[in-house]
Amino acid sequence: TDCAKCHNPNGWKLWEFDHNTQTKYKLEGGHEGLKCESCHQTPMKKDVVLDTSCVTCHQQDDVHNGRFGERCDRCHVVESFKTVVIGK
């Protein structure tokens, strides 16, 4: 609702947004450098709010078929879903 947070008054297409400082979800590891539309596929009318649990985007990658719940970050790291750290 506060367009000036990201958009420049000199032109709507001139905008700057730092996901790491302007949201509660840092784009790090495998998420770093993704295009906005990789996650944001539905236009929002108000504040942009997405579920930040891994299964929101990675359910199809879950070889466990949900048997270990939705807390993938207990064993997997953001650098690579294939990297597993037991007892993290």
Side-chain angles (χ1 to χ4, degrees):
T1 57
D2 183 4
C3 304
K5 278 181 156 177
C6 307
H7 292 277
N8 185 312
N10 296 324
W12 186 253
K13 291 184 179 184
L14 300 174
W15 64 283
E16 184 175 312
F17 183 78
D18 185 348
H19 210 284
N20 293 345
T21 60
Q22 292 178 261
T23 74
K24 294 179 184 176
Y25 189 81
K26 289 188 177 189
L27 296 180
E28 54 192 2
H31 300 120
E32 192 172 8
L34 288 177
K35 292 185 177 192
C36 302
E37 49 279 347
S38 296
C39 301
H40 300 284
Q41 298 176 1
T42 305
M44 300 287 179
K45 294 185 182 200
K46 294 190 178 195
D47 290 343
V48 177
V49 179
L50 292 176
D51 184 353
T52 58
S53 63
C54 301
V55 296
T56 301
C57 295
H58 299 285
Q59 188 170 15
Q60 74 279 2
D61 302 325
D62 183 7
V63 297
H64 312 294
N65 296 318
R67 290 187 300 254
F68 295 118
E70 296 183 357
R71 291 287 320 277
C72 307
D73 59 321
R74 288 182 296 164
C75 300
H76 297 274
V77 297
V78 296
E79 286 74 26
S80 170
F81 202 67
K82 293 178 181 179
T83 303
V84 177
V85 180
I86 306 297
K88 190 170 121 176

